[in-house]
Amino acid sequence: RLLLFIQIRVNSTEVFTVICGQQDTAEELSPVDVVFYATLEVRNSLGLAEENEDEEGGGGGGGGSNSSLAKLWGKKLKNRDKGYSRAELASLWSLLQQEEYTFLRVLQDLSTHVAKVLGSCGHFYAVEYLSAGHAWDQNIFSLEEVAVSGLQDQDRDGARGRWTTREMVHRIALSFLDMVWHFDNDFTHKLHLCDIKPENFAIRKDLTVVAIDVDMAFFEPKMRDILDQNCSSDDDCNFFDCSSRCNLNKRRCSPRRRNSNLQVICEKIFRPWFSPTLLGAKAGLPLQVPGF
């Protein structure tokens, strides 16, 4: 049985590989080799299980079909006829060491609710420009910055208007709920958001809610590793917005998260957004904003 081993070392001047114990040039790595080893790094970075474990369904509640890590990693790495240069490998390796880049790049083809990576240069990468949220903004997002063509029914003259502020708020709120359902159900493992605040989300021109800061987003296997800690009370089992309970007999936090993305979004996004202190007499009306 042929054992292949690769080691990529990156510093300011050198990228080299060792295959079957022999030093080789980076240019001799085939695209298939790069995809394989990049996939291993992606799996390690995101805390995902082995492919065969994913396919057996031990993922902790997700219902998605992306059991193969090959689907998680972009197919563009394969779509070339020649190997990768030293500079390209150095750039790829440095990008893969950044968990946020890995997360966005892996999921951008699978989800409309994460920011898209537009390109990279060295260890830098650029994402799409979006209107981010603000805790101080009455509607969370600056809706005047989003030029959205109205999708309302045509009036008698056949003209189309633009969305009103009320309609835009409704659509954004529904997009938050769609994002929660998507992260809970559309992947093999649930995706947990542990740092939920307006500044970590943005909206596109079609009012789709997008996660733009994903440093604290974890798939179920990594979430369990994080929560599985020693404890003396439930307070020791809180990891930012993700929490579990302390088993006092074992003095160990449960690895299973006790709250959900929806609960935290309701608490930290919806409740301040539609607070009675802002709505006054209109507080009984669902998803209303002052003046509507």
Side-chain angles (χ1 to χ4, degrees):
R1 182 178 179 182
L2 181 62
L3 176 64
L4 296 182
F5 170 73
I6 182 174
Q7 180 179 9
I8 301 179
R9 296 180 182 175
V10 179
N11 55 35
S12 59
T13 60
E14 181 179 32
V15 176
F16 68 85
T17 65
V18 178
I19 302 180
C20 297
Q22 296 180 351
Q23 185 165 324
D24 231 327
T25 60
E27 287 80 2
E28 293 182 11
L29 267 183
S30 71
V32 174
D33 289 331
V34 173
V35 170
F36 176 73
Y37 294 111
T39 300
L40 294 180
E41 184 64 22
V42 168
R43 188 186 69 199
N44 178 66
S45 177
L46 299 183
L48 294 171
E50 299 284 352
E51 288 190 40
N52 59 351
E53 291 177 2
D54 288 340
E55 291 169 355
E56 290 170 1
S65 60
N66 61 324
S67 57
S68 172
L69 282 170
K71 293 181 66 176
L72 285 176
W73 182 246
K75 295 181 180 179
K76 294 181 181 179
L77 288 174
K78 291 183 179 178
N79 296 337
R80 56 188 288 160
D81 299 326
K82 59 181 181 179
Y84 286 80
S85 69
R86 290 171 179 266
E88 288 173 319
L89 281 178
S91 176
L92 175 60
W93 193 251
S94 63
L95 288 169
L96 290 178
Q97 306 312 301
Q98 303 175 63
E99 290 189 7
E100 187 166 54
Y101 169 84
T102 303
F103 182 95
L104 295 176
R105 183 62 188 84
V106 165
L107 292 186
Q108 68 175 25
D109 296 328
L110 300 174
S111 175
T112 61
H113 292 290
V114 296
K116 294 189 178 298
V117 177
L118 301 180
S120 61
C121 181
H123 65 280
F124 297 103
Y125 63 94
V127 299
E128 60 181 319
Y129 178 79
L130 297 168
S131 178
H134 306 285
W136 47 263
D137 195 299
Q138 170 184 296
N139 293 318
I140 297 184
F141 302 101
S142 299
L143 300 182
E144 62 274 10
E145 297 179 7
V146 184
V148 181
S149 297
L151 301 177
Q152 343 171 25
D153 294 334
Q154 293 183 349
D155 60 23
R156 287 178 299 179
D157 298 325
R160 287 182 181 268
R162 289 184 176 275
W163 290 105
T164 64
T165 299
R166 175 181 175 179
E167 291 167 331
M168 294 169 79
V169 167
H170 286 189
R171 287 175 63 85
I172 293 170
L174 290 173
S175 188
F176 264 112
L177 297 179
D178 180 72
M179 179 188 69
V180 168
W181 191 94
H182 173 56
F183 287 172
D184 279 353
N185 297 281
D186 281 0
F187 304 123
T188 304
H189 300 290
K190 285 186 178 181
L191 181 61
H192 298 275
L193 304 178
C194 294
D195 188 15
I196 292 177
K197 55 187 177 184
E199 295 87 344
N200 288 347
F201 299 95
I203 52 174
R204 294 195 178 98
K205 289 186 177 182
D206 63 357
L207 301 182
T208 298
V209 172
V210 178
I212 57 174
D213 188 335
V214 291
D215 284 338
M216 292 292 177
F218 308 101
F219 284 107
E220 181 75 17
K222 195 164 187 176
M223 185 80 264
R224 286 173 170 262
D225 287 342
I226 291 172
L227 293 175
D228 188 14
Q229 304 292 331
N230 294 327
C231 63
S232 57
S233 70
D234 286 348
D235 291 339
D236 297 327
C237 300
N238 295 331
F239 183 78
F240 294 87
D241 290 327
C242 297
S243 63
S244 68
R245 294 191 181 279
C246 179
N247 185 324
L248 294 178
N249 292 327
K250 297 181 178 179
R251 297 284 179 175
R252 194 77 178 174
C253 296
S254 168
R256 184 178 295 276
R257 183 182 176 188
R258 68 171 177 174
N259 61 352
S260 67
N261 290 334
L262 178 59
Q263 288 175 314
V264 182
I265 283 178
C266 285
E267 177 69 25
K268 301 186 69 174
I269 300 292
F270 285 171
R271 179 172 291 179
W273 195 2
F274 306 112
S275 170
T277 59
L278 288 176
L279 302 180
K282 294 183 179 291
L285 299 177
L287 299 183
Q288 293 283 340
V289 295
F292 294 91

